[in-house]
């Protein structure tokens, strides 16, 4: 049964060690993520699934290990049983870091979903996660468009801002729309597939969740970052 979800972005810059001197710029984002995770932990889940973007469709049901050495810092994080033979993609590694920061010590597993995964399969994945334990919570990682300004990773695209506004409205209302996969790909929105897994887990394409709060909606560095907290009120 789905009991709660936190939606967070997954830039490695969330880690103060990676951000370095620019760390204070993202303090409001970190605080919003912390608040969303408090909602997840308060729901007393039996397991937390970290769902995020990855190069391939892959289940980390024994957890895994991720590191940020490629970003110049010697930081390693573990998820769940911390299976050393399972290397987490960056998005799940940031999720594992957020869970550690929140103090979660219970079972945790991961699901990586690539940007080409179509809506029906995303939804099916979400339904499967929902029934994986009596009380299931999700930490959903991913970002909006990366084309909000001329200095953004993908340069400026006029479609980026309305795309992000639509996603933010869905997260705030507790009912995510079926995001256009092709448009999301063109706008470099890594969160599209993870968000649609969330929609399947929460059944939010059929009816909105009882409690939805949008805690952060901004585009630092030209990338759409959202933080939201969802609960069906159970």
């Amino acid at each position: 049964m789905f009991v709660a979800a936190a939606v967070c972005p997954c830039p490695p810059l969330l880690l103060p060690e990676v951000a370095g001197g620019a760390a204070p710029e993202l303090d409001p984002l970190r605080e919003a993520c912390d608040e969303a995770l408090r909602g997840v932990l308060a729901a007393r889940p039996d397991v937390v699934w970290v769902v995020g973007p990855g190069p391939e469709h892959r289940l980390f049901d024994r957890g895994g290990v991720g590191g940020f050495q490629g970003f110049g810092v010697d930081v390693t994080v573990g998820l769940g049983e911390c299976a050393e033979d399972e290397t987490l993609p960056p998005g799940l590694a940031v999720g594992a870091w957020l869970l550690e920061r929140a103090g979660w010590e219970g079972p945790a597993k991961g699901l990586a979903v690539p940007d080409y995964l179509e809506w029906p399969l995303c939804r099916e994945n979400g339904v499967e996660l929902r029934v994986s334990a009596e009380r299931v919570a999700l930490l959903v990682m991913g970002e909006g468009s990366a084309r909000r300004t001329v200095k953004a990773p993908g340069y400026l695209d006029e479609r980026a801002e309305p795309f992000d506004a639509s996603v933010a409205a869905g997260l705030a209302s507790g009912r995510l729309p079926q995001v256009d996969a092709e448009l999301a790909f063109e706008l470099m929105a890594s969160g599209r597939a993870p968000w649609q897994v969330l929609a399947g887990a929460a059944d939010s394409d059929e009816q909105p969740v009882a409690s939805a709060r949008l805690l952060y909606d901004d585009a630092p560095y030209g990338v759409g970052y959202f933080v939201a907290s969802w609960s069906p009120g159970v």
Side-chain angles (χ1 to χ4, degrees):
M1 177 177 65
F2 169 74
V3 296
V7 176
C8 299
C10 51
L13 286 172
L14 264 181
L15 278 69
E17 298 92 333
V18 175
E25 296 176 9
L26 293 183
D27 278 346
L29 176 59
R30 295 186 191 95
E31 292 167 5
C33 291
D34 291 344
E35 182 176 352
L37 263 295
R38 284 194 291 270
V40 164
L41 271 57
R44 299 176 290 105
D46 296 319
V47 61
V48 176
W49 281 93
V50 181
V51 181
E56 59 181 342
H57 194 193
R58 186 173 176 186
L59 191 70
F60 294 86
D61 57 354
R62 296 186 301 123
V65 175
F68 298 89
Q69 289 76 14
F71 299 94
V73 297
D74 188 18
V75 175
T76 300
V77 294
L79 181 69
E81 299 176 15
C82 303
E84 295 185 359
D85 58 336
E86 298 284 5
T87 301
L88 301 171
L92 294 189
V94 174
W97 178 81
L98 283 173
L99 275 182
E100 288 185 2
R101 177 179 166 97
W104 175 248
E105 297 180 350
K109 302 180 181 183
L111 173 66
V113 285
D115 55 18
Y116 58 78
L117 206 66
E118 296 180 349
W119 157 251
L121 189 51
C122 289
R123 190 187 197 288
E124 181 181 326
N125 280 191
V127 172
E128 291 173 354
L129 297 188
R130 183 174 70 210
V131 299
S132 64
E134 186 173 344
R135 299 182 65 83
V136 176
L138 272 63
L139 171 54
V140 182
M141 311 300 297
E143 290 143 25
S145 67
R147 308 190 69 175
R148 290 279 290 271
T149 69
V150 295
K151 293 184 178 180
Y155 197 67
L156 176 65
D157 189 311
E158 293 181 354
R159 301 172 297 173
E161 189 167 348
F163 173 89
D164 284 348
S166 174
V167 172
L171 290 172
S173 69
R175 187 168 191 167
L176 279 170
Q178 293 188 24
V179 182
D180 186 299
E182 183 176 349
L183 177 59
F185 178 79
E186 293 175 0
L187 295 177
M188 304 169 63
S190 67
R192 193 276 308 173
W195 298 330
Q196 294 191 319
V197 172
L198 169 61
D203 202 23
S204 71
D205 54 323
E206 297 295 333
Q207 58 183 3
V209 296
S211 175
R213 293 188 300 149
L214 184 63
L215 304 173
Y216 187 95
D217 174 14
D218 203 353
Y221 317 121
V223 181
Y225 293 161
F226 313 108
V227 178
S229 175
W230 277 20
S231 170
V234 294

